[in-house]
Amino acid sequence: PAHVLLPPVLLPPVPHARYGLYSPIRNMLGMRDAAAPPLPVKMAAGALVGALSSFLANPADLLKVRLQVDGVGGVPRYRGMVHAFTTVVHDEGVIKLWRGAGPAISRATVLAAAELATYDEVKSLLHAHNIV
């Protein structure tokens, strides 16, 4: 299959799911009324989306990194993405797909809280002043 032959750098960008999830999660936090949500709610929504998307993307990130360094200084261990996945699950267990998730989730939480809340706040201000 073609997906087995994809180089690690061409894997789909799962972390970008946060852009599509931000508004629904912000709205789930109780901000469906006409008033613009306050900045702390926007930051909380961004943080939650960042953590969730990083958690979901961690297995793909782990496999991508392992494939990028596979064979450096020796014989390659993996034949492709599917083989890397099945090898990790078989040899180390499913839970190891989330190895290193703690720091990754922490980073994504802070990044998404700042990025998405800032974007949403600036967009609201531009709309409020009829600039956009």
Side-chain angles (χ1 to χ4, degrees):
H3 65 279
V4 176
L5 303 175
L6 281 177
V9 295
L10 295 179
L11 294 175
V14 179
H16 298 317
R18 68 178 178 246
Y19 299 114
L21 294 174
Y22 173 72
S23 293
I25 288 182
R26 182 196 62 208
N27 294 342
M28 281 184 1
L29 292 176
M31 304 311 298
R32 293 186 189 142
D33 59 1
L39 185 58
V41 170
K42 294 175 182 178
M43 291 178 72
L48 184 60
V49 167
L52 178 63
S53 65
S54 181
F55 175 80
L56 295 174
N58 202 80
D61 284 342
L62 177 114
L63 295 172
K64 178 184 77 168
V65 169
R66 288 198 181 186
L67 284 167
Q68 286 173 327
V69 299
D70 189 38
V72 173
V75 178
R77 181 173 180 196
Y78 308 115
R79 294 188 303 266
M81 184 60 126
V82 173
H83 184 252
F85 175 80
T86 57
T87 302
V88 170
V89 170
H90 181 266
D91 294 351
E92 302 173 40
V94 173
I95 196 73
K96 292 300 182 177
L97 290 170
W98 281 272
R99 185 176 198 168
I105 290 170
S106 299
R107 179 193 150 280
T109 299
V110 173
L111 176 71
E115 177 187 9
L116 296 171
T118 300
Y119 169 79
D120 200 4
E121 189 70 14
V122 169
K123 185 175 82 171
S124 296
L125 289 171
L126 291 174
H127 281 286
H129 291 92
N130 293 323
I131 297 174
V132 180

